[in-house]
C-alpha cells in the first residue's frame, strides 16, 4: 500500500478513536457552545432601593428593570465589607478581607490587593479571554497593583474614589495633596481631574465598554465596568442633568441606568446577548450621611456598617436559557462566590492561591434541590470582624462592636454628622425581622451558642485570638 494511503488510513483511524472517546473531533467542537462572555457592572455606594424593581423610585430606571425581567433579581446578595477597597478586593479575588488584608478604603498610593492573590482578570486572561476594566479601580495604586498588571488588557478610569481630591467635602487640605488622576492603559492621561471631567466619567466608561464589546465580539471576553457613581461628589453629563425631576441623585441614577442599557444593547447588536453572563450589583449600601446625595435602603444603617443597610446589595444576574427570567430569588449569596462560580461556567482554572468563595451555580440557576456549600458568610468593618450570617439567610449574629449612625444628613454634597453607638452580642432572626430591630439572643440561646462558636473559629483563622481572650 502506498505511503500516502497508509497515512490517510492512520488519520481516519485516529479520528474514529477520538470520536468514540468524545475527544477532539471536529463534530464535537462544532456542536459545543463557545464559552460565555462575562460582564460585571459594579456601582459605587448604590442603595438597595435605588432602582426599579427593588424600590419605587422617583425617577425611571427602565434598563435595570428590563435586566431584572430578563434575569433573576437576588434580594439577599451580600458583600463581606461595606467599604470600597475591601468590597472590590473580595469581588475580584474571591477571598475575604480577613485573608487578603485589604480593609476599608485605600487612598492614593495605597498598597491594594497583594499580587499573590489573583484577580478575576488574571484568571480569565489565563483562559485566553480578552479583559477590560473601565471606571473605578480602588484595589491598588502602586506599580504592582494597577489594572494593566492585574489581568486587564485594557483599562480606563480613576484608581481610587472620586472624592479623594482638592474639592473634598470635609477635608480638602488633606486630599488636596494628591491630584486625582485619570489613567488609561497604564498611563496618566488626565493628570488633575476637574469637575468637568467628572461629569463625563459615566459616559467615558460606557463608551469604552461598548467599543470593547464590539471589537471583541469574535472571542470570549471579561468586561468589568466599575462606575465611580453614585459615590459623592455626584456628577452626570448634560444628557441627564436636571432630567429626573428628583434632584442630582436622580439624574445620576438615570445616567447609570442609561449605561446599563447601552451595554446590554451592544451585546444584542453584536449577537452576544444569549451567550453573555451579565451581573449588576453595588460595592455596598448608600453613604447616608450625604442625605439627598445618597441612595436609599429599607434596611438598618448604611455604608460602613455590618448591618444589612451596608452589606446587602441590589443584584441582578442575566444569562438567557441558564438563569431563570423574570424571577426573584431569596437565596443568600455573597460576592466571594462569583469568582469560583464564573470559573466553573467558563471552564476556567481557579487561581492557585487560597480563596474563600465556592461555586454556587446551582443556587444561581434556580435548582430547587441546591444547597449552599457554605455554613455561613462573614462580615467585617475595617480591620474588625463583626459578625456572621447563616448561609440560609435565617440568622445573623453581631459580635459586640461600635458602629456609626447618622445624626443628621448633609444637603447638596456638604458633610453631615455621625455619632457612635455600641451593639452587644446580638442575634437577629432575619426571616421574621429583616430590619434587625429585635435582639432575640435570649429566646434562642442554642442558636446563639452555635453561631458564636462558628464566629470565634472564623476569628481565630483570619484575625487571631479574640481581644477578650
Amino acid at each position: 500500500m502506498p505511503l500516502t494511503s497508509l497515512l490517510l488510513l492512520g488519520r481516519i483511524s485516529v479520528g474514529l478513536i477520538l470520536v468514540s472517546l468524545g475527544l477532539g473531533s471536529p463534530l464535537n467542537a462544532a456542536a459545543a457552545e463557545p464559552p460565555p462572555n462575562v460582564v460585571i457592572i459594579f456601582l459605587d455606594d448604590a442603595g438597595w432601593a435605588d432602582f426599579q424593581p427593588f424600590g419605587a423610585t422617583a425617577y425611571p430606571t427602565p434598563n435595570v428593570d428590563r435586566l431584572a425581567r430578563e434575569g433573576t433579581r437576588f434580594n439577599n446578595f451580600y458583600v463581606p465589607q461595606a467599604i470600597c477597597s475591601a468590597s472590590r478586593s473580595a469581588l475580584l479575588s474571591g477571598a475575604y478581607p480577613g485573608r487578603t488584608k485589604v480593609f476599608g478604603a485605600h487612598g492614593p498610593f495605597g498598597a491594594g490587593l497583594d499580587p499573590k492573590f489573583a484577580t478575576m482578570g488574571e484568571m480569565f486572561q489565563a483562559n485566553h479571554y480578552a479583559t477590560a476594566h473601565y471606571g473605578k479601580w480602588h484595589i491598588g495604586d502602586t506599580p504592582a497593583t494597577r489594572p494593566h498588571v492585574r489581568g486587564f488588557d485594557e483599562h480606563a478610569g480613576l484608581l481610587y474614589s472620586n472624592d479623594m481630591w482638592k474639592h473634598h467635602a470635609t477635608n480638602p487640605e488633606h486630599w488636596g495633596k494628591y491630584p486625582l488622576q485619570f489613567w488609561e492603559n497604564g498611563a496618566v492621561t488626565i493628570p488633575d481631574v476637574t469637575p468637568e471631567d467628572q461629569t463625563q466619567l459615566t459616559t467615558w466608561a460606557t463608551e469604552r465598554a461598548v467599543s470593547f464589546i464590539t471589537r471583541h465580539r469574535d472571542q470570549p471576553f471579561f468586561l468589568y465596568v466599575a462606575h465611580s457613581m453614585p459615590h459623592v461628589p455626584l456628577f452626570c453629563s448634560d444628557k441627564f442633568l436636571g432630567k429626573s425631576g428628583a434632584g442630582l441623585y436622580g439624574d445620576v441614577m438615570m445616567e447609570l441606568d442609561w449605561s446599563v442599557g447601552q451595554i446590554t444593547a451592544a451585546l444584542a447588536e453584536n449577537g452576544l446577548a444569549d451567550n453573555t453572563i451579565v451581573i449588576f450589583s453595588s460595592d455596598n449600601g448608600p453613604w447616608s450621611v450625604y442625605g439627598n446625595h445618597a441612595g436609599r435602603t429599607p434596611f438598618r444603617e448604611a455604608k460602613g456598617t455590618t448591618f444589612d443597610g451596608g452589606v446587602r446589595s441590589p443584584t441582578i444576574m442575566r444569562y438567557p436559557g441558564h438563569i431563570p427570567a423574570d424571577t426573584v430569588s431569596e437565596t443568600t449569596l455573597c460576592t466571594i462566590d462569583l469568582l469560583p462560580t464564573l470559573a466553573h461556567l467558563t471552564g476556567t482554572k481557579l487561581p492557585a492561591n487560597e480563596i474563600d468563595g465556592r461555586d454556587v451555580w446551582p443556587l444561581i440557576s434556580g435548582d430547587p434541590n441546591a444547597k449552599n456549600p457554605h455554613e455561613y458568610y462573614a462580615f467585617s468593618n475595617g480591620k474588625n470582624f463583626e459578625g456572621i450570617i447563616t448561609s440560609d439567610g435565617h440568622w445573623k449574629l453581631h459580635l459586640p462592636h461600635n458602629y456609626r449612625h447618622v445624626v443628621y444628613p448633609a444637603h447638596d454634597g456638604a458633610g453631615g454628622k455621625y455619632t457612635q453607638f455600641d451593639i452587644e452580642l446580638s442575634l437577629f432572626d432575619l426571616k421574621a425581622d429583616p430590619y434587625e430591630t429585635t435582639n432575640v439572643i435570649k429566646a434562642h440561646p442554642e442558636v446563639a451558642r452555635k453561631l458564636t462558636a462558628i464566629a470565634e473559629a472564623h476569628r481565630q483563622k483570619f484575625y487571631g485570638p479574640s481581644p477578650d481572650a
Side-chain angles (χ1 to χ4, degrees):
M1 182 178 293
L3 178 61
T4 53
S5 299
L6 285 170
L7 290 173
L8 179 59
L9 180 61
R11 287 177 186 147
I12 293 172
S13 299
V14 170
L16 289 172
I17 292 169
L18 289 174
V19 168
S20 68
L21 294 174
L23 300 171
S25 75
L27 179 63
N28 286 335
E33 290 185 4
N37 308 303
V38 177
V39 175
I40 297 179
I41 303 170
F42 210 52
L43 306 187
D44 197 346
D45 292 359
W48 191 91
D50 281 353
F51 292 92
Q52 300 171 18
F54 291 93
T57 60
Y59 44 84
T61 59
N63 295 297
V64 173
D65 198 21
R66 177 182 176 184
L67 190 69
R69 292 196 306 273
E70 294 174 348
T72 296
R73 183 178 100 211
F74 292 88
N75 281 344
N76 299 315
F77 190 88
Y78 288 88
V79 299
Q81 187 168 142
I83 310 177
C84 303
S85 299
S87 179
R88 292 159 195 276
S89 288
L91 167 75
L92 290 180
S93 69
Y96 280 124
R99 184 181 296 282
T100 65
K101 307 308 177 190
V102 178
F103 302 118
H106 290 193
F109 309 109
L113 181 66
D114 192 313
K116 72 181 182 181
F117 295 101
T119 69
M120 273 193 201
E122 290 166 319
M123 182 183 80
F124 281 118
Q125 268 188 342
N127 197 24
H128 309 294
Y129 270 57
T131 60
H133 157 264
Y134 303 116
K136 175 180 171 179
W137 180 240
H138 216 179
I139 63 166
D141 182 22
T142 66
T145 58
R146 294 170 186 154
H148 71 292
V149 296
R150 295 311 316 269
F152 291 92
D153 304 328
E154 300 180 22
H155 79 95
L158 308 180
L159 294 191
Y160 40 88
S161 294
N162 67 321
D163 67 333
M164 294 177 175
W165 66 338
K166 59 190 174 185
H167 304 293
H168 192 276
T170 60
N171 198 356
E173 294 80 13
H174 172 73
W175 295 112
K177 299 174 186 177
Y178 314 97
L180 181 62
Q181 299 173 329
F182 188 92
W183 288 71
E184 188 157 8
N185 298 329
V188 175
T189 54
I190 303 177
D192 195 355
V193 169
T194 66
E196 176 58 32
D197 294 326
Q198 290 235 26
T199 68
Q200 299 304 307
L201 290 179
T202 300
T203 295
W204 287 342
T206 305
E207 290 174 345
R208 285 168 169 80
V210 169
S211 171
F212 178 81
I213 290 168
T214 302
R215 288 183 286 111
H216 294 279
R217 60 179 174 265
D218 294 326
Q219 69 178 115
F221 60 78
F222 168 49
L223 172 61
Y224 174 45
V225 183
H227 285 296
S228 290
M229 301 295 152
H231 191 291
V232 294
L234 298 179
F235 290 95
C236 72
S237 69
D238 289 342
K239 297 188 296 295
F240 292 93
L241 188 62
K243 296 299 196 302
S244 71
L248 181 57
Y249 195 85
D251 301 341
V252 168
M253 302 315 285
M254 283 184 63
E255 185 160 40
L256 290 169
D257 181 78
W258 163 83
S259 176
V260 171
Q262 293 291 297
I263 292 168
T264 53
L267 293 172
E269 290 164 6
N270 286 284
L272 303 173
D274 288 346
N275 195 43
T276 301
I277 305 157
V278 178
I279 300 172
F280 171 89
S281 192
S282 175
D283 66 343
N284 45 249
W287 205 350
S288 294
V289 77
Y290 281 95
N292 67 335
H293 279 199
R296 300 179 304 121
T297 178
F299 305 109
R300 183 172 175 179
E301 301 302 335
K303 171 182 176 174
T305 77
T306 49
F307 293 98
D308 270 28
V311 293
R312 195 189 301 210
S313 291
T315 301
I316 298 168
M317 301 188 202
R318 187 191 76 175
Y319 185 16
H322 302 273
I323 294 175
D326 203 14
T327 301
V328 177
S329 173
E330 304 296 336
T331 299
T332 300
L333 297 171
C334 183
T335 48
I336 60 170
D337 292 327
L338 290 180
L339 181 146
T341 302
L342 293 171
H344 160 75
L345 288 176
T346 59
T348 301
K349 185 178 179 181
L350 283 172
N353 58 270
E354 288 187 282
I355 63 171
D356 301 302
R358 297 291 180 266
D359 175 12
V360 294
W361 175 242
L363 293 169
I364 291 173
S365 62
D367 181 347
N369 298 313
K371 302 294 183 184
N372 196 311
H374 295 276
E375 188 174 20
Y376 69 94
Y377 292 111
F379 300 118
S380 58
N381 191 39
K383 295 181 180 180
N384 301 317
F385 169 50
E386 294 187 351
I388 63 172
I389 185 173
T390 56
S391 60
D392 61 0
H394 190 165
W395 302 103
K396 188 173 179 185
L397 181 80
H398 281 269
L399 301 174
H401 65 270
N402 60 21
Y403 63 94
R404 67 190 192 186
H405 175 79
V406 177
V407 176
Y408 62 81
H411 189 74
D412 290 348
K417 184 178 179 181
Y418 286 113
T419 190
Q420 292 289 319
F421 287 149
D422 293 317
I423 184 171
E424 61 185 352
L425 184 68
S426 299
L427 179 69
F428 295 99
D429 180 351
L430 294 185
K431 297 296 186 184
D433 177 25
Y435 308 113
E436 298 172 90
T437 64
T438 305
N439 181 5
V440 296
I441 196 165
K442 292 182 180 178
H444 300 278
E446 289 302 319
V447 174
R449 275 193 287 270
K450 177 182 177 182
L451 296 188
T452 300
I454 292 172
E456 182 56 30
H458 183 91
R459 184 203 300 279
Q460 291 278 352
K461 180 178 180 180
F462 290 99
Y463 298 86
S466 169
D468 299 325

mmCIF file of all heavy atoms in Angstrom, residues 304-326:
data_model
loop_
_atom_site.group_PDB
_atom_site.id
_atom_site.type_symbol
_atom_site.label_atom_id
_atom_site.label_comp_id
_atom_site.label_asym_id
_atom_site.label_seq_id
_atom_site.Cartn_x
_atom_site.Cartn_y
_atom_site.Cartn_z
ATOM 1 N N GLY A 304 -20.463 51.389 55.539
ATOM 2 C CA GLY A 304 -19.542 51.496 56.654
ATOM 3 C C GLY A 304 -20.013 50.811 57.914
ATOM 4 O O GLY A 304 -19.421 51.002 58.980
ATOM 5 N N THR A 305 -21.076 49.994 57.803
ATOM 6 C CA THR A 305 -21.540 49.189 58.930
ATOM 7 C C THR A 305 -21.780 47.767 58.444
ATOM 8 O O THR A 305 -21.868 47.515 57.238
ATOM 9 C CB THR A 305 -22.852 49.734 59.543
ATOM 10 O OG1 THR A 305 -23.966 49.372 58.696
ATOM 11 C CG2 THR A 305 -22.806 51.239 59.722
ATOM 12 N N THR A 306 -21.947 46.845 59.390
ATOM 13 C CA THR A 306 -22.239 45.459 59.022
ATOM 14 C C THR A 306 -23.716 45.122 59.196
ATOM 15 O O THR A 306 -24.100 43.953 59.122
ATOM 16 C CB THR A 306 -21.366 44.489 59.843
ATOM 17 O OG1 THR A 306 -21.444 44.823 61.234
ATOM 18 C CG2 THR A 306 -19.923 44.557 59.397
ATOM 19 N N PHE A 307 -24.541 46.142 59.393
ATOM 20 C CA PHE A 307 -25.982 45.923 59.307
ATOM 21 C C PHE A 307 -26.348 45.790 57.828
ATOM 22 O O PHE A 307 -25.576 46.168 56.934
ATOM 23 C CB PHE A 307 -26.739 47.082 59.962
ATOM 24 C CG PHE A 307 -26.551 47.158 61.446
ATOM 25 C CD1 PHE A 307 -25.627 48.024 62.000
ATOM 26 C CD2 PHE A 307 -27.292 46.340 62.293
ATOM 27 C CE1 PHE A 307 -25.436 48.083 63.381
ATOM 28 C CE2 PHE A 307 -27.116 46.386 63.672
ATOM 29 C CZ PHE A 307 -26.182 47.262 64.213
ATOM 30 N N ASP A 308 -27.538 45.254 57.567
ATOM 31 C CA ASP A 308 -27.894 44.951 56.185
ATOM 32 C C ASP A 308 -27.976 46.179 55.289
ATOM 33 O O ASP A 308 -27.839 46.072 54.073
ATOM 34 C CB ASP A 308 -29.212 44.165 56.136
ATOM 35 C CG ASP A 308 -28.980 42.667 56.195
ATOM 36 O OD1 ASP A 308 -27.961 42.246 56.774
ATOM 37 O OD2 ASP A 308 -29.819 41.907 55.670
ATOM 38 N N GLY A 309 -28.196 47.351 55.864
ATOM 39 C CA GLY A 309 -28.166 48.567 55.052
ATOM 40 C C GLY A 309 -26.819 48.833 54.440
ATOM 41 O O GLY A 309 -26.704 49.526 53.422
ATOM 42 N N GLY A 310 -25.767 48.267 55.038
ATOM 43 C CA GLY A 310 -24.430 48.426 54.498
ATOM 44 C C GLY A 310 -23.992 47.292 53.605
ATOM 45 O O GLY A 310 -23.368 47.525 52.561
ATOM 46 N N VAL A 311 -24.310 46.049 53.992
ATOM 47 C CA VAL A 311 -23.725 44.894 53.306
ATOM 48 C C VAL A 311 -24.666 44.170 52.347
ATOM 49 O O VAL A 311 -24.230 43.262 51.634
ATOM 50 C CB VAL A 311 -23.155 43.876 54.327
ATOM 51 C CG1 VAL A 311 -21.961 44.454 55.055
ATOM 52 C CG2 VAL A 311 -24.218 43.412 55.319
ATOM 53 N N ARG A 312 -25.946 44.548 52.298
ATOM 54 C CA ARG A 312 -26.852 43.902 51.341
ATOM 55 C C ARG A 312 -26.953 44.790 50.096
ATOM 56 O O ARG A 312 -27.299 45.961 50.190
ATOM 57 C CB ARG A 312 -28.233 43.691 51.948
ATOM 58 C CG ARG A 312 -29.061 42.710 51.120
ATOM 59 C CD ARG A 312 -30.512 42.606 51.508
ATOM 60 N NE ARG A 312 -30.805 42.199 52.865
ATOM 61 C CZ ARG A 312 -31.897 41.533 53.212
ATOM 62 N NH1 ARG A 312 -32.768 41.164 52.271
ATOM 63 N NH2 ARG A 312 -32.144 41.240 54.479
ATOM 64 N N SER A 313 -26.630 44.222 48.941
ATOM 65 C CA SER A 313 -26.544 44.997 47.703
ATOM 66 C C SER A 313 -27.583 44.552 46.684
ATOM 67 O O SER A 313 -27.876 43.356 46.555
ATOM 68 C CB SER A 313 -25.145 44.842 47.082
ATOM 69 O OG SER A 313 -24.171 45.481 47.867
ATOM 70 N N PRO A 314 -28.132 45.512 45.923
ATOM 71 C CA PRO A 314 -29.098 45.155 44.870
ATOM 72 C C PRO A 314 -28.381 44.413 43.743
ATOM 73 O O PRO A 314 -27.409 44.915 43.184
ATOM 74 C CB PRO A 314 -29.604 46.519 44.381
ATOM 75 C CG PRO A 314 -28.453 47.450 44.644
ATOM 76 C CD PRO A 314 -27.789 46.937 45.903
ATOM 77 N N THR A 315 -28.828 43.223 43.417
ATOM 78 C CA THR A 315 -28.092 42.391 42.460
ATOM 79 C C THR A 315 -29.045 41.712 41.478
ATOM 80 O O THR A 315 -30.079 41.176 41.878
ATOM 81 C CB THR A 315 -27.254 41.333 43.198
ATOM 82 O OG1 THR A 315 -26.340 42.006 44.069
ATOM 83 C CG2 THR A 315 -26.475 40.458 42.233
ATOM 84 N N ILE A 316 -28.650 41.748 40.213
ATOM 85 C CA ILE A 316 -29.387 41.081 39.137
ATOM 86 C C ILE A 316 -28.386 40.284 38.305
ATOM 87 O O ILE A 316 -27.274 40.755 38.038
ATOM 88 C CB ILE A 316 -30.110 42.105 38.228
ATOM 89 C CG1 ILE A 316 -31.141 42.911 39.032
ATOM 90 C CG2 ILE A 316 -30.790 41.399 37.052
ATOM 91 C CD1 ILE A 316 -31.667 44.123 38.283
ATOM 92 N N MET A 317 -28.773 39.085 37.894
ATOM 93 C CA MET A 317 -27.944 38.285 37.001
ATOM 94 C C MET A 317 -28.792 37.804 35.829
ATOM 95 O O MET A 317 -29.907 37.320 36.028
ATOM 96 C CB MET A 317 -27.337 37.082 37.728
ATOM 97 C CG MET A 317 -26.484 37.453 38.912
ATOM 98 S SD MET A 317 -25.602 36.019 39.594
ATOM 99 C CE MET A 317 -25.279 36.609 41.272
ATOM 100 N N ARG A 318 -28.237 37.951 34.629
ATOM 101 C CA ARG A 318 -28.932 37.510 33.410
ATOM 102 C C ARG A 318 -28.015 36.635 32.576
ATOM 103 O O ARG A 318 -26.861 36.986 32.319
ATOM 104 C CB ARG A 318 -29.354 38.733 32.575
ATOM 105 C CG ARG A 318 -30.226 38.366 31.377
ATOM 106 C CD ARG A 318 -30.397 39.540 30.426
ATOM 107 N NE ARG A 318 -29.201 39.761 29.616
ATOM 108 C CZ ARG A 318 -29.119 40.679 28.637
ATOM 109 N NH1 ARG A 318 -30.133 41.492 28.410
ATOM 110 N NH2 ARG A 318 -27.999 40.809 27.940
ATOM 111 N N TYR A 319 -28.536 35.486 32.199
ATOM 112 C CA TYR A 319 -27.835 34.569 31.299
ATOM 113 C C TYR A 319 -28.933 33.759 30.631
ATOM 114 O O TYR A 319 -29.348 32.714 31.137
ATOM 115 C CB TYR A 319 -26.874 33.692 32.091
ATOM 116 C CG TYR A 319 -25.982 32.772 31.282
ATOM 117 C CD1 TYR A 319 -25.783 32.939 29.909
ATOM 118 C CD2 TYR A 319 -25.311 31.716 31.909
ATOM 119 C CE1 TYR A 319 -24.957 32.089 29.196
ATOM 120 C CE2 TYR A 319 -24.475 30.862 31.205
ATOM 121 C CZ TYR A 319 -24.309 31.053 29.855
ATOM 122 O OH TYR A 319 -23.474 30.202 29.129
ATOM 123 N N PRO A 320 -29.442 34.224 29.480
ATOM 124 C CA PRO A 320 -30.630 33.626 28.866
ATOM 125 C C PRO A 320 -30.500 32.120 28.668
ATOM 126 O O PRO A 320 -29.487 31.616 28.184
ATOM 127 C CB PRO A 320 -30.726 34.355 27.521
ATOM 128 C CG PRO A 320 -30.085 35.684 27.780
ATOM 129 C CD PRO A 320 -28.957 35.389 28.726
ATOM 130 N N GLY A 321 -31.554 31.410 29.074
ATOM 131 C CA GLY A 321 -31.586 29.965 28.949
ATOM 132 C C GLY A 321 -30.878 29.233 30.066
ATOM 133 O O GLY A 321 -30.947 27.995 30.146
ATOM 134 N N HIS A 322 -30.212 29.952 30.940
ATOM 135 C CA HIS A 322 -29.456 29.330 32.030
ATOM 136 C C HIS A 322 -29.864 29.868 33.400
ATOM 137 O O HIS A 322 -29.935 29.112 34.364
ATOM 138 C CB HIS A 322 -27.960 29.549 31.817
ATOM 139 C CG HIS A 322 -27.443 29.008 30.522
ATOM 140 N ND1 HIS A 322 -27.020 27.705 30.370
ATOM 141 C CD2 HIS A 322 -27.288 29.600 29.309
ATOM 142 C CE1 HIS A 322 -26.619 27.512 29.125
ATOM 143 N NE2 HIS A 322 -26.767 28.647 28.454
ATOM 144 N N ILE A 323 -30.099 31.169 33.479
ATOM 145 C CA ILE A 323 -30.616 31.791 34.702
ATOM 146 C C ILE A 323 -32.078 32.128 34.454
ATOM 147 O O ILE A 323 -32.403 32.758 33.443
ATOM 148 C CB ILE A 323 -29.820 33.056 35.069
ATOM 149 C CG1 ILE A 323 -28.379 32.691 35.448
ATOM 150 C CG2 ILE A 323 -30.481 33.808 36.229
ATOM 151 C CD1 ILE A 323 -27.485 33.882 35.722
ATOM 152 N N PRO A 324 -32.989 31.716 35.320
ATOM 153 C CA PRO A 324 -34.418 31.944 35.066
ATOM 154 C C PRO A 324 -34.741 33.422 34.858
ATOM 155 O O PRO A 324 -34.217 34.295 35.559
ATOM 156 C CB PRO A 324 -35.088 31.410 36.343
ATOM 157 C CG PRO A 324 -34.107 30.444 36.920
ATOM 158 C CD PRO A 324 -32.754 30.985 36.581
ATOM 159 N N ALA A 325 -35.608 33.680 33.897
ATOM 160 C CA ALA A 325 -36.020 35.049 33.609
ATOM 161 C C ALA A 325 -37.192 35.461 34.490
ATOM 162 O O ALA A 325 -37.965 34.618 34.956
ATOM 163 C CB ALA A 325 -36.409 35.178 32.138
ATOM 164 N N ASP A 326 -37.274 36.765 34.735
ATOM 165 C CA ASP A 326 -38.393 37.374 35.463
ATOM 166 C C ASP A 326 -38.656 36.654 36.787
ATOM 167 O O ASP A 326 -39.778 36.312 37.122
ATOM 168 C CB ASP A 326 -39.641 37.367 34.588
ATOM 169 C CG ASP A 326 -40.647 38.431 35.022
ATOM 170 O OD1 ASP A 326 -40.269 39.312 35.798
ATOM 171 O OD2 ASP A 326 -41.805 38.353 34.569
#
